[in-house]
């Protein structure tokens, strides 16, 4: 939520949430499925009426083409569109008094993100950003373990994430629209690293050029946290057919926690013991449940709009460093 949570237009906590999902791509699908698990009343909106109808038929929702009807059908507008369209859609929804859920990254640049936050504060509505990694069971268990001192004093974290490339013909490949691989993909781990290890004072980024068209695109960012932890995040847009995979290693002076999504949803510590995380939990539904609680006047979720803005600045700092060869303070991008 924004800092204006108390003055936000509250929903009826006893009623089904009314949600308009804007965007019918992969994230639109995931969001609709999660809202359904919460019993929400969902409509979808797409720029393409034909695509909207096909998506609605597939997922058992109603497609709405007129923007006025979208607003009439919803108290929450959930934005699942290309990154460079997040800001205008958030302003539109907030201006109509609707709470806003925005898929990560919050915006294309920090100024847009700050303006989105301010617009929602001014309108008295909530703004939540879907940095969903904070809700994945293994990652939640790992953070709790670090906080409980299981690895002692944290010293070095490493994260890896790969998916198949979205393709050169898509908006993802246009850095002016997507922000690049650190902004679009690695931002999951960048946000999580800050959640666990604290504020980031400096980012050094690197992008390996493709060996040839269609080969993997690989970027990395090294974070220096204010409290002394060093985090390295690597993200890969790989060849078509590559399965989604994420790993981490959280090392401290008394132990280490390791995770790899490929074999199964478990954590192992340095002794070889296994810490089970509940993989029956839907992280998307978990985050939306917290968002609705905030929108109905309850406590704020574990990830706020300000967190989303800071994660964007860290990712952009990595992209800028990769271009210039110099480390970048993410706070400098928020001034």
């Amino acid at each position: 939520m924004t800092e204006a949570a108390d003055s936000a237009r509250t929903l009826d906590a006893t009623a089904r949430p009314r949600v308009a999902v804007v965007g019918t791509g992969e994230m639109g699908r995931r969001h609709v499925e999660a809202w359904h698990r919460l019993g929400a009343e969902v409509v979808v909106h797409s720029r393409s009426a034909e695509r909207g109808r096909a998506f609605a038929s597939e997922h058992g929702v109603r497609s709405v083409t007129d923007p006025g009807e979208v607003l009439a059908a919803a108290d929450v507008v959930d934005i699942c569109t290309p990154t460079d369209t997040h800001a205008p859609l958030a302003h539109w929804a907030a201006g109509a008094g609707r709470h806003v859920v925005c898929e990560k990254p919050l915006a294309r640049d920090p100024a847009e993100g700050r303006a989105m936050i301010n617009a929602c504060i001014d309108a008295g509505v909530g703004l939540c950003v879907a940095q969903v990694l904070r809700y994945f069971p293994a990652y939640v268990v790992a953070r709790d373990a670090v906080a409980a001192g299981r690895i002692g004093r944290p010293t070095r974290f490493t994260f890896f994430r790969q998916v198949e490339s979205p393709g050169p013909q898509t908006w993802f490949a246009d850095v002016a629209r997507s922000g690049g691989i650190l902004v679009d993909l690695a931002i999951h781990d960048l946000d999580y690293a800050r959640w666990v290890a604290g504020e980031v004072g400096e980012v050094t980024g690197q992008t390996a050029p493709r060996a040839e068209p269609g080969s993997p695109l690989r970027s990395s960012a090294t974070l220096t946290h204010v409290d002394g932890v060093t985090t390295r995040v690597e993200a890969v847009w790989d060849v078509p057919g590559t399965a989604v995979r994420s790993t981490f290693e959280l090392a401290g002076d008394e132990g280490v926690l390791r995770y790899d999504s490929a074999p199964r949803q478990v954590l192992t510590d340095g002794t070889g013991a296994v810490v089970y995380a509940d993989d029956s939990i839907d992280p998307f539904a978990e985050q939306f449940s917290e968002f609705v609680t905030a929108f109905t006047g309850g406590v704020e979720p574990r990830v706020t709009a300000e967190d989303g803005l800071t994660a964007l600045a860290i990712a952009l700092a990595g992209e800028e460093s990769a271009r210039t060869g110099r480390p970048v303070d993410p706070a400098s991008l928020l001034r």
Side-chain angles (χ1 to χ4, degrees):
M1 288 287 287
T2 67
E3 295 176 357
D6 290 341
S7 62
R9 180 186 182 218
T10 57
L11 307 180
D12 183 349
T14 65
R16 297 173 64 193
R18 300 190 313 142
V19 181
V21 174
V22 181
T24 52
E26 174 61 18
M27 295 317 301
R29 178 187 68 80
R30 294 294 299 271
H31 283 212
V32 166
E33 291 173 351
W35 284 117
H36 274 166
R37 289 188 177 94
L38 297 179
E41 182 180 334
V42 182
V43 300
V44 297
H45 174 71
S46 172
R47 289 185 305 170
S48 165
E50 180 180 355
R51 178 167 180 167
R53 286 191 297 269
F55 181 95
S57 176
E58 181 180 357
H59 297 285
V61 294
R62 181 165 63 94
S63 176
V64 179
T65 57
D66 180 74
E69 290 184 47
V70 174
L71 295 173
D75 299 305
V76 178
V77 173
D78 181 357
I79 301 169
C80 296
T81 56
T83 301
D84 61 326
T85 67
H86 289 180
L89 286 169
H91 284 281
W92 165 69
R98 302 306 188 263
H99 299 288
V100 179
V101 172
C102 186
E103 176 56 29
K104 64 79 198 163
L106 176 64
R108 177 57 187 86
D109 67 62
E112 287 183 342
R114 175 57 65 195
M116 290 166 64
I117 292 173
N118 290 340
C120 288
I121 291 174
D122 292 344
V125 299
L127 170 62
C128 291
V129 59
Q131 293 282 172
V132 72
L133 196 63
R134 294 194 186 200
Y135 298 85
F136 272 75
Y139 287 79
V140 175
V141 170
R143 179 180 186 267
D144 291 345
V146 172
R150 183 161 180 166
I151 64 171
R153 181 180 63 84
T155 55
R156 183 170 181 83
F157 295 169
T158 58
F159 297 86
F160 173 77
R161 182 170 302 275
Q162 69 177 14
V163 299
E164 68 176 346
S165 172
Q169 75 284 0
T170 65
W171 64 270
F172 294 94
D174 184 349
V175 174
R177 302 192 66 192
S178 71
I181 190 170
L182 293 179
V183 175
D184 182 75
L185 181 60
I187 197 169
H188 284 296
D189 302 290
L190 298 172
D191 173 68
Y192 180 82
R194 172 178 171 262
W195 192 41
V196 179
E199 298 302 331
V200 177
E202 185 177 275
V203 183
T204 301
Q206 185 175 15
T207 296
R210 280 192 165 108
E212 57 186 24
S215 63
L217 178 64
R218 187 180 303 264
S219 288
S220 65
T222 299
L223 316 182
T224 302
H225 296 267
V226 172
D227 289 343
V229 180
T230 299
T231 292
R232 177 177 170 81
V233 174
E234 184 175 5
V236 182
W237 276 338
D238 216 324
V239 296
T242 299
V244 176
R245 183 185 179 197
S246 63
T247 71
F248 65 70
E249 181 175 288
L250 310 182
D253 59 5
E254 295 181 8
V256 62
L257 288 167
R258 296 184 179 90
Y259 169 77
D260 190 331
S261 67
R264 58 183 306 183
Q265 296 284 327
V266 298
L267 282 166
T268 58
D269 66 18
T271 67
V274 175
V275 182
Y276 287 90
D278 186 354
D279 57 4
S280 69
I281 293 174
D282 178 354
F284 289 88
E286 286 287 303
Q287 73 172 348
F288 293 156
S289 178
E290 287 193 3
F291 292 173
V292 169
T293 295
F295 293 154
T296 55
V299 297
E300 70 179 17
R302 72 192 69 171
V303 57
T304 67
E306 291 289 345
D307 290 326
L309 181 61
T310 301
L312 174 64
I314 294 169
L316 288 170
E319 294 284 356
E320 180 177 326
S321 174
R323 289 193 301 272
T324 65
R326 297 188 298 271
V328 177
D329 178 359
S332 68
L333 304 182
L334 296 174
R335 297 178 187 136

